[in-house]
């Protein structure tokens, strides 16, 4: 049976879809058969970041409503073996997702995959609740700013009370924190919360810290998950996060301002 992982946040624009694409790609690169589902019905950005937008014929809602079967809607990634994408609909709204339909799709996927990554919309509306309801684990994505962290704390409350596990009296879904757009220079200037600040507020395990990086935007524009940019700091940070997710003990990087060498100190480089 597959492990269902929801990638969620309270605030929009924090990097959930970038994270979903990167985590799913990393798991597939590690040899795990992985499907990633876009739950953001009405917007649909996952296929853009995965570079398969022109290959979308059927979508998640089509499968739920019986207009297509799962094999027709799943898109196989051309670059990474064992990676499949189930896109969202751009022409429907969140009400098109039914709990019974979502459960049926997840059960069918679970028979063939090791991991199912659910790319959740922001907030606590229907699409987000559907993405989280059947999850076994959660990756909570947040930026190091007060409003984002506060909204993520709200999401942690939802995960502990409005999931199938909660309804059945089972242990709370394990939630792990992924801190994105982290800039140590701004932390030093007091313009941004530190890693320790965020961890103290949210009190969840830290999966990874993704540095603020131009590589993320470049990869998104190119339709390539940033984890595949192995030369970039963001790509390496996502690789570290996937390794930790799979149980490897890796130190966190990109948390401090790089020290300048002698020439850098002399010439300001």
């Amino acid at each position: 049976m597959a492990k269902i992982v929801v990638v969620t946040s309270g605030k929009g624009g924090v990097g959930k879809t970038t994270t979903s694409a990167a985590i799913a790609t990393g798991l597939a690169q590690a040899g795990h058969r992985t499907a990633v589902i876009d739950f953001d019905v009405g917007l649909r950005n996952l296929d853009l970041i995965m570079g398969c937008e022109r290959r979308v014929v059927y979508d998640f809602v089509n499968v739920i409503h019986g207009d297509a079967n799962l094999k027709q809607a799943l898109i196989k990634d051309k670059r990474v073996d064992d990676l499949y994408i189930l896109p969202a609909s751009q022409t429907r709204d969140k009400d098109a997702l039914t709990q019974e339909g979502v459960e049926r799709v997840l059960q069918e996927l679970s028979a063939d995959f090791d991991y199912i990554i659910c790319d959740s919309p922001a907030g606590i509306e229907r699409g987000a609740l559907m993405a989280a309801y059947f999850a076994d684990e959660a990756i909570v994505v947040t930026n190091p700013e007060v409003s984002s962290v506060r909204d993520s704390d709200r999401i942690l409350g939802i995960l502990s009370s409005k999931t199938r596990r909660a309804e059945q009296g089972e242990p709370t879904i394990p939630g792990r924190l992924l801190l994105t757009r982290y800039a140590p220079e701004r932390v030093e200037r007091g313009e941004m919360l530190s890693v320790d600040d965020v961890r103290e507020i949210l009190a969840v395990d830290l999966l990874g810290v993704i540095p603020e990086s131009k590589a993320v935007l470049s990869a998104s524009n190119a339709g390539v998950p940033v984890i595949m940019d192995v030369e970039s700091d963001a790509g390496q940070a996502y690789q570290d996060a996937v390794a930790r997710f799979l149980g490897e003990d890796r130190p966190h990087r990109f948390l401090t301002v790089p020290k300048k060498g002698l020439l850098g100190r002399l010439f300001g480089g």
Side-chain angles (χ1 to χ4, degrees), residues 102-165:
V102 171
E103 182 176 19
R104 177 168 44 79
V105 172
L106 291 175
Q107 285 178 343
E108 191 173 344
L109 285 170
S110 292
D112 292 325
F113 289 89
D114 301 315
Y115 288 97
I116 301 169
I117 307 300
C118 300
D119 180 26
S120 170
I124 55 174
E125 44 76 42
R126 184 174 181 81
L129 295 176
M130 283 290 158
Y133 185 77
F134 297 101
D136 300 308
E137 290 194 36
I139 296 174
V140 180
V141 183
T142 190
N143 293 158
E145 58 182 56
V146 172
S147 62
S148 181
V149 174
R150 181 190 62 189
D151 290 348
S152 291
D153 201 22
R154 169 75 168 140
I155 288 298
L156 289 168
I158 295 293
L159 292 172
S160 66
S161 61
K162 291 192 176 182
T163 63
R164 181 169 61 176
R165 280 194 176 197

Side-chain angles (χ1 to χ4, degrees), residues 24-45:
T25 300
L27 290 171
Q29 287 176 325
H32 301 283
R33 191 168 168 84
T34 304
V36 55
I37 306 175
D38 191 346
F39 274 79
D40 203 355
V41 176
L43 294 178
R44 201 178 87 187
N45 289 315

